[in-house]
Amino acid sequence: MVALSVHMAQAETVEFGVEQGQMLQVLMRHCQTMKRQETRLRLATALLVATIFATLVWIQFHQQNTTEAFSGARQTALKTTDSPIGHSVHLKPSRQINACSEPQSIEWEAVDDGYESQNFELKNQTVLHISTEGLYLINLRISYRTAYGLCEPGKDFVLVVRVTQYHRNYESEREIISAEESMICRDYWFQSITMNRAIRLEADTSLRVKINQKSCTFVSWTKNSHLDVTYV
């Protein structure tokens, strides 16, 4: 009876050992599977990161080349005389008019040689010649100032400014833009008229700025008056 019990105990021990061995094998296979999956995940992650990095490098390189090409083309376009787009002329009154007449054409001079192309030419200081047909932006500002004792206090007078154009196909000058404002006579009073307009001009068109005789002596010739014309 004792021998039988010992034999059964030994059999149970062997069976338990077999089960433990099988469980250990299962655990080892599971660990190996997890390790392979982790390795694959790391490889996939590394490949994804490398792909994203390569894409970013390509995009940056492409943008840089595109920007450089655009910049070079723009500089070439600005330098060529056949494409005056964006060029402009900047003028200021050259001096005070001594003898005001009706109508009075303002005399101009370039600001720091403000010609950016041969598209403009100032003739006799009063006529701005346009050589190229196209759309132009005209920006004009005429400033006025009443000095002490220059006029009768409290009396109003009229300021008139006109920009005209002339072409050989016209019978006479045509008005492009004009303004008319009242100004009260008061010592050291300051006032200005500003006009802007985009207009299409033919080649060989001449522009002129005129003011009325009564406002001639009040023009502030040295400051804040200018004429800018830009080919757009």
Side-chain angles (χ1 to χ4, degrees):
M1 187 67 177
V2 173
L4 179 61
S5 299
V6 172
H7 178 73
M8 291 178 63
Q10 291 178 348
E12 290 177 355
T13 302
V14 171
E15 185 178 356
F16 178 76
V18 172
E19 291 179 355
Q20 291 292 325
Q22 291 177 347
M23 291 180 62
L24 182 60
Q25 291 178 357
V26 171
L27 180 62
M28 291 179 63
R29 286 197 298 269
H30 177 72
C31 291
Q32 291 175 353
T33 302
M34 291 296 294
K35 187 174 182 179
R36 286 196 297 270
Q37 291 179 350
E38 182 179 359
T39 302
R40 292 174 183 175
L41 180 60
R42 289 180 179 178
L43 291 175
T45 303
L47 181 60
L48 178 61
V49 171
T51 302
I52 295 175
F53 179 75
T55 303
L56 292 176
V57 171
W58 181 87
I59 292 174
Q60 183 178 5
F61 178 77
H62 180 71
Q63 289 180 341
Q64 182 178 0
N65 288 345
T66 303
T67 302
E68 291 177 354
F70 175 78
S71 178
R74 183 176 182 273
Q75 291 178 0
T76 302
L78 290 176
K79 289 180 180 179
T80 177
T81 55
D82 296 332
S83 180
I85 294 178
H87 289 184
S88 60
V89 60
H90 313 283
L91 306 176
K92 67 177 181 180
S94 61
R95 61 181 178 83
Q96 183 173 351
I97 301 174
N98 295 322
C100 295
S101 60
E102 181 74 31
Q104 177 66 58
S105 296
I106 294 182
E107 295 184 5
W108 303 95
E109 64 181 14
V111 179
D112 297 329
D113 296 327
Y115 296 94
E116 295 185 3
S117 74
Q118 299 300 321
N119 200 37
F120 306 98
E121 182 182 0
L122 185 60
K123 296 183 176 180
N124 298 324
Q125 292 188 285
T126 59
V127 177
L128 181 62
H129 182 262
I130 308 295
S131 61
T132 303
E133 178 182 357
L135 183 65
Y136 290 83
L137 177 62
I138 299 175
N139 186 309
L140 174 66
R141 178 185 177 96
I142 302 296
S143 299
Y144 301 86
R145 185 179 65 87
T146 56
Y148 179 78
L150 190 60
C151 60
E152 183 179 348
K155 184 178 180 180
D156 292 347
F157 53 90
V158 178
L159 309 175
V160 180
V161 180
R162 291 187 175 92
V163 180
T164 63
Q165 64 168 328
Y166 177 76
H167 191 270
R168 59 179 177 273
N169 295 332
Y170 306 159
E171 294 183 358
S172 59
E173 286 184 302
R174 296 182 178 182
E175 186 175 287
I176 295 178
I177 186 173
S178 65
E180 183 174 321
E181 296 182 7
S182 61
M183 180 176 180
I184 188 172
C185 181
R186 183 178 300 170
D187 291 340
Y188 309 113
W189 179 263
F190 180 85
Q191 188 168 329
S192 63
I193 294 179
T194 302
M195 297 185 294
N196 301 277
R197 182 182 177 183
I199 184 172
R200 188 166 191 85
L201 300 176
E202 299 182 58
D204 299 323
T205 294
S206 296
L207 301 181
R208 192 192 305 265
V209 180
K210 299 180 179 181
I211 58 176
N212 59 324
Q213 181 179 8
K214 292 183 179 180
S215 67
C216 175
T217 56
F218 303 106
V219 174
S220 179
W221 301 104
T222 58
K223 295 181 179 179
N224 302 316
S225 296
H226 64 263
L227 171 63
D228 297 336
V229 182
T230 303
Y231 188 101
V232 296

